[in-house]
Amino acid sequence: MRFELMKEAAQELAEEAVRRGASAAEVVMSRRKEFAVSVRLGEVEKIKESVDHGLGLRVLIAGQQASVSCSDFSREAVLGLLDEAIELARAASVDESAGLPEAGDFARQWPDLDIYDEAVEQLTTEEKIEMALAAERAAQASSERIVNFDGGGLETARSTVVLANSLGFAGEYEGTLISLSTVPVAVDDQGRMQRDYWYDARRRLKDMAEPEAIGRVAAQRTLRKLNGRSVPTQRVPVVFDPSMAASLLGSIFEAVSGESIFRRASFLAGQLGEEVASPQLTVVDDGRMKGGLGSRPFDGEGLPTRRTALIRQGRLESYLLNSYTARKLGLQSTGNAARGLVGAPTVDAGNLYVEAGAHSPAEIIKSVGRGFYLTEMIGHGVNIVTGDYSRSAGGLWIEDGELTFAVQGVTVAGNLKEMLRGIEMIGNDLDFRGSVAAPTLLIDRMTISA
C-alpha cells in the first residue's frame, strides 16, 4: 500500500499524526516533471528529462515543531517518518508563535488562475530543440561580431502541489512553465569579447515571445556592450532598465518580508503608514494574477493568496507575512507563506511588481542630460538593515538625452531610502517575464565610481 499524490491521502496522514500524539500537522506532496535542452553553435549540447516527487510532514506539539521529508510513498516508510517527526518535535524548544493558521481563514474557493497549459506539455522534443536553435540562429544572424555563445536553451516543467492539514484544509493545484534563453558572445575590433543574454519565461506557450525575437534582443544587448570603458566618479541620474528595476524590487521584497521586519533587520521596520518613497511609486504583490508565474490559489499554509499593495503612491501600506511572522508582529497573514518539503513555512512573494507609469523608455532617457543607463549588475552589495546599496555595474552613458557609449567596470552606489524617494519617472514598459517585474525607472542621483 502506498500514499498516492492526492489531497485525500495527505489529509489522512495529517489526521494520523494527531492520533499518534501531535497537536497539529501539515502535509505537503509535490511532483515535478522537467525537461531541459541546451544548445550551442547550432548543436544540441545536452538534453535532460526528470521526474521527482516528495512528501513533507510538519508536526506540532504545543509550540514544539519538527519537519521531515521523504520520496518513498509506501505506508511503512511514511508512517515510520511520522513517528520520527513526533519524536523530533518533542525534543524541540517551544516557540509560542509556531502553529497552523486559524481554521476559519483557509482558502475555500479555487479560482482558475490559468497557470496550467496543456500546449506546453504537448511540445515534442524536436519542437523544443528547434525553438532553442531558432533563438540562437537569429542572434547569430544579427551581426558578424556574434562569434560564440555562452549558453542558452529551453526548459519546460509541470508541477503538482498537494497541501493538507489536521484542521481540515486540503487542496491541490497544477502549473506549467516554459522558458527560453540565449547568451551570445560578441567581439570588438581589438578582440575583446562581451556577452549578454535575453530570455522569456511564461506559464502558457501562447504568451511566449517568438524565439527569433529573443535572439535578436540578446544580440542587440551584447553588441551595445562592445568598446566599453569606465567613467570618472560622479553623482548623476541613473536610469534602471526593466531587468535592473526588477532587481531593485527584489531588495524591496527583502525589506518588507515579515522575517526581516519582526527581527527589525530592515530599514522599513516600523514604517507602516509612513511615506517611504516617491508619490509616483506603487508596489503590488498579486498572488492571483491570471497566468502569473507567481500565481497559486493558496499559499504554503492553505490561506488564500491575494493582491496586496505594499507601497501605494509612496506610502508603506503592508508587509508580506505568513502566519508565523504575522503572530510575531501582531498582524494578519497576507497569504504569502511559502512551503518546501522540509522546514517551517517561509515568506515569499506571488507576482511582485511596480505599477507602470506614463512615460516611454525613450522619453525617460531623453529627459536625462548626463547620466547612466543601468543594464547590468554583478554581485551582492545591499544592506537591508541600513539600506546601503553598492553594486558593480555596466550599462550605457547618456549625454544630452542620447545613449552614447558602453560603460564597464564601475560601481553604482546609494541608499535605498534615498533611492526610493528619488524616483522621478516610471516607464510604461512593464512586462512580466518572471514573477518579479518592473518598468524602466529614473532615480534622480546616485554615485557612479570607477
Side-chain angles (χ1 to χ4, degrees):
M1 292 285 289
R2 292 172 54 84
F3 282 97
E4 300 298 328
L5 186 73
M6 299 171 61
K7 59 185 181 183
E8 292 80 6
Q11 194 154 38
E12 176 194 341
L13 183 56
E15 292 167 356
E16 180 64 24
V18 174
R19 283 193 289 272
R20 296 189 181 210
S23 55
E26 183 181 75
V27 177
V28 61
M29 296 175 167
S30 68
R31 181 179 186 275
R32 188 173 176 89
K33 179 182 179 183
E34 294 179 310
F35 172 92
V37 56
S38 58
V39 299
R40 180 172 172 272
L41 294 174
E43 302 287 339
V44 173
E45 279 202 322
K46 188 189 307 180
I47 294 179
K48 183 174 70 175
E49 194 160 9
S50 63
V51 178
D52 64 69
H53 66 271
L55 183 153
L57 175 62
R58 181 167 68 119
V59 299
L60 299 107
I61 305 174
Q64 298 168 292
Q65 67 174 333
S67 67
V68 292
S69 70
C70 69
S71 57
D72 182 352
F73 279 30
S74 67
R75 294 190 72 86
E76 181 182 15
V78 172
L79 294 177
L81 192 71
L82 170 56
D83 290 334
E84 181 182 334
I86 291 173
E87 288 303 312
L88 289 170
R90 285 178 174 142
S93 56
V94 175
D95 185 340
E96 299 293 344
S97 296
L100 301 182
E102 296 297 320
D105 294 338
F106 291 115
R108 292 182 175 79
Q109 297 179 333
W110 273 239
D112 179 10
L113 300 178
D114 210 3
I115 58 176
Y116 173 79
D117 182 14
E118 191 173 16
V120 172
E121 287 213 275
Q122 290 178 340
L123 281 171
T124 65
T125 298
E126 291 74 21
E127 289 171 327
K128 295 172 184 175
I129 292 171
E130 175 52 29
M131 290 175 70
L133 291 173
E136 189 185 88
R137 283 197 302 268
Q140 195 157 25
S142 297
S143 171
E144 292 181 351
R145 293 194 180 279
I146 303 293
V147 296
N148 202 347
F149 288 83
D150 191 26
L154 182 139
E155 297 182 15
T156 60
R158 172 185 177 176
S159 59
T160 304
V161 175
V162 173
L163 181 71
N165 64 37
S166 57
L167 295 181
F169 173 82
E172 60 183 307
Y173 61 86
E174 280 190 311
T176 48
L177 166 71
I178 178 167
S179 66
L180 175 62
S181 65
T182 189
V183 190
V185 176
V187 62
D188 66 15
D189 292 332
Q190 286 72 48
R192 296 174 301 185
M193 290 187 287
Q194 289 288 352
R195 65 185 284 280
D196 208 328
Y197 71 98
W198 197 239
Y199 71 100
D200 199 5
R202 307 282 176 172
R203 290 282 195 182
R204 302 170 295 205
L205 180 61
K206 66 181 181 181
D207 295 334
M208 285 285 288
E210 291 295 323
E212 292 80 5
I214 293 170
R216 287 191 291 272
V217 173
Q220 292 164 7
R221 291 175 61 91
T222 304
L223 292 168
R224 70 185 184 183
K225 293 175 69 174
L226 294 177
N227 303 306
R229 61 181 191 265
S230 187
V231 294
T233 299
Q234 55 199 297
R235 279 179 63 78
V236 292
V238 175
V239 179
F240 283 63
D241 84 352
S243 57
M244 295 302 99
S247 169
L248 182 64
L249 194 53
S251 297
I252 295 175
F253 162 73
E254 289 185 58
V256 300
S257 167
E259 292 167 347
S260 299
I261 298 299
F262 88 76
R263 295 187 175 96
R264 300 199 66 80
S266 165
F267 69 95
L268 291 177
Q271 302 286 305
L272 274 184
E274 301 293 326
E275 187 174 295
V276 298
S278 161
Q280 298 185 56
L281 184 69
T282 293
V283 178
V284 174
D285 178 65
D286 188 352
R288 295 205 164 188
M289 180 185 296
K290 281 271 188 180
L293 282 169
S295 297
R296 47 193 174 152
F298 52 84
D299 75 355
E301 295 178 301
L303 298 182
T305 50
R306 68 184 199 184
R307 184 181 189 278
T308 303
L310 303 174
I311 299 174
R312 190 192 302 275
Q313 297 177 340
R315 196 170 300 278
L316 182 62
E317 283 199 352
S318 180
Y319 300 127
L320 288 180
L321 306 169
N322 57 11
S323 293
Y324 181 79
T325 57
R327 290 191 192 103
K328 286 284 189 184
L329 294 164
L331 299 170
Q332 295 295 313
S333 171
T334 55
N336 285 97
R339 184 77 162 83
L341 291 180
V342 181
T346 58
V347 175
D348 201 1
N351 300 289
L352 183 65
Y353 64 97
V354 172
E355 283 193 350
H359 306 283
S360 70
E363 288 172 336
I364 293 175
I365 293 168
K366 195 171 183 60
S367 73
V368 177
R370 181 182 176 83
F372 185 43
Y373 182 63
L374 181 64
T375 64
E376 181 181 25
M377 286 191 280
I378 303 167
H380 303 282
V382 185
N383 187 327
I384 297 301
V385 178
T386 64
D388 288 339
Y389 190 95
S390 177
R391 300 187 64 182
S392 298
L396 300 162
W397 195 249
I398 304 172
E399 284 286 348
D400 298 326
E402 301 287 341
L403 299 176
T404 55
F405 60 88
V407 176
Q408 295 291 328
V410 299
T411 298
V412 59
N415 184 280
L416 284 168
K417 289 180 280 191
E418 297 169 359
M419 291 163 63
L420 292 177
R421 292 178 186 278
I423 293 174
E424 291 189 332
M425 298 178 77
I426 298 178
N428 58 7
D429 52 342
L430 177 64
D431 181 25
F432 285 88
R433 284 178 292 104
S435 60
V436 180
T440 300
L441 299 177
L442 169 60
I443 294 179
D444 59 352
R445 258 336 123 170
M446 294 183 72
T447 299
I448 308 298
S449 57

